[in-house]
Amino acid sequence: MRASKNTILITGGATGIGLALAERFLKSGNEILVCGRREEKLLELRRKHPAIKTRVCDVALETDRVALCEWAVSESPALNVLVNNAGIQRRVNLAEEKHWEAVEEEIVINLHAPVHLTMLFLPHLTKQKEPAILNVTSGLSFVPLAGAPVYSATKAALHSFTLSLRHQLTGSPVEVIEIIPPAVDTDLGGPGLHTHGVPVGEFADHVMERLKTGAREIAYGFSEQSSHASRAELDAIFERLNQPTREPSRA
Ligand SMILES: NC(=O)c1ccc[n+]([C@@H]2O[C@H](COP(=O)([O-])OP(=O)(O)OC[C@H]3O[C@@H](n4cnc5c(N)ncnc54)[C@H](OP(=O)(O)O)[C@@H]3O)[C@@H](O)[C@H]2O)c1
């Protein structure tokens, strides 16, 4: 992915990791589009960075995903990078959970949306200069946090999808990059749940540095470890991560 002169859509880019990346991409001379559900977060972002284009969009809704693609391409016909960053994390006790709709929503936001957005944007991206798709997975793609079973499963699936997508697009101009955060101090899962994580600016700086080197998988700390672990190491990490008294998560 080139360092500047890209036009980049970041889903969920008004807060957390998406915001930190949006600000860094903007500073490096890229045009940025951002979507999210909360209008006030998008307004806040535009007040701080008037050059960023924003759209209210719930990626859980198929109609919103289609409209997002139409809007982004007509607003910015040179759009050449899609960052599938929007995600949610729920703690779920499988024996007690009664709310299928909430469980389903987590699957739809974290998995259906990036798969569908990839399909929607690909025909446009393949015609652009140096196009790329960046999928934000997790250190938990490689070893689950049992207390977030659906989240962990969606991230494992998105990692798998990213590998297949990259393989299928070999020989096409579209680069496929996986960003694999460890626990990062954002509001993921609700305020206060990830304060043990690395500072979001530190992680975003690392991502920007690694993008410059042409890296296709960008992990950090815990996720560097889990994404390269052997089966025996993964078993040991699973035990550590899921000790009965252990809370909160590491990714
Ligand atoms: N923080 C971590 O420890 C960590 C670790 C590994 C992976 N990740 C991944 O990193 C990505 C970013 O998360 P984050 O940590 O930066 O948390 P965050 O600050 O909560 O960011 C998530 C963003 O996604 C947006 N979003 C959620 N559901 C959406 C929907 N249905 N439609 C549109 N936008 C939606 C949210 O905005 P609205 O609520 O306004 O829609 C928010 O801006 C996620 O995919 C997450 O799984 C995070």
Side-chain angles (χ1 to χ4, degrees), residues 11-18 35-38 41 57-60 85-88 109 136-139 151 155 181-189 194 251:
T11 66
T15 68
I17 294 170
C35 75
R37 291 168 302 186
R38 285 169 294 173
K41 291 288 173 195
C57 166
D58 182 350
V59 298
N85 166 75
I88 62 165
I109 293 172
V136 179
T137 63
S138 170
Y151 176 84
K155 291 296 180 178
V184 178
D185 185 3
T186 69
D187 283 350
L188 185 73
H194 281 88

Side-chain angles (χ1 to χ4, degrees), residues 10-20 34-42 55-61 64-65 68 84-89 105 108-110 113 135-141 151 154-155 158 179-190 193-198 200 203 223 249-251:
I10 306 176
T11 66
T15 68
I17 294 170
L19 170 62
V34 158
C35 75
R37 291 168 302 186
R38 285 169 294 173
E39 191 160 19
E40 72 274 14
K41 291 288 173 195
L42 298 170
R55 180 177 176 93
V56 174
C57 166
D58 182 350
V59 298
L61 305 174
D64 271 26
R65 297 193 292 262
L68 175 68
N84 280 313
N85 166 75
I88 62 165
Q89 184 186 77
E105 185 189 38
V108 171
I109 293 172
N110 292 358
N135 286 340
V136 179
T137 63
S138 170
L140 298 179
S141 301
Y151 176 84
T154 61
K155 291 296 180 178
L158 186 58
I179 298 178
I180 312 170
V184 178
D185 185 3
T186 69
D187 283 350
L188 185 73
L193 263 188
H194 281 88
T195 49
H196 61 288
V198 299
V200 66
F203 177 65
S223 64
S249 75
R250 294 281 133 213

Side-chain angles (χ1 to χ4, degrees), residues 181-237:
V184 178
D185 185 3
T186 69
D187 283 350
L188 185 73
L193 263 188
H194 281 88
T195 49
H196 61 288
V198 299
V200 66
E202 179 183 322
F203 177 65
D205 286 342
H206 172 76
V207 171
M208 298 305 286
E209 280 310 308
R210 296 285 287 129
L211 283 175
K212 280 188 211 150
T213 68
R216 297 190 314 176
E217 285 192 358
I218 304 178
Y220 191 62
F222 166 86
S223 64
E224 188 79 59
Q225 202 194 348
S226 67
S227 61
H228 289 108
S230 66
R231 179 58 204 258
E233 288 164 339
L234 285 176
D235 287 347
I237 296 171

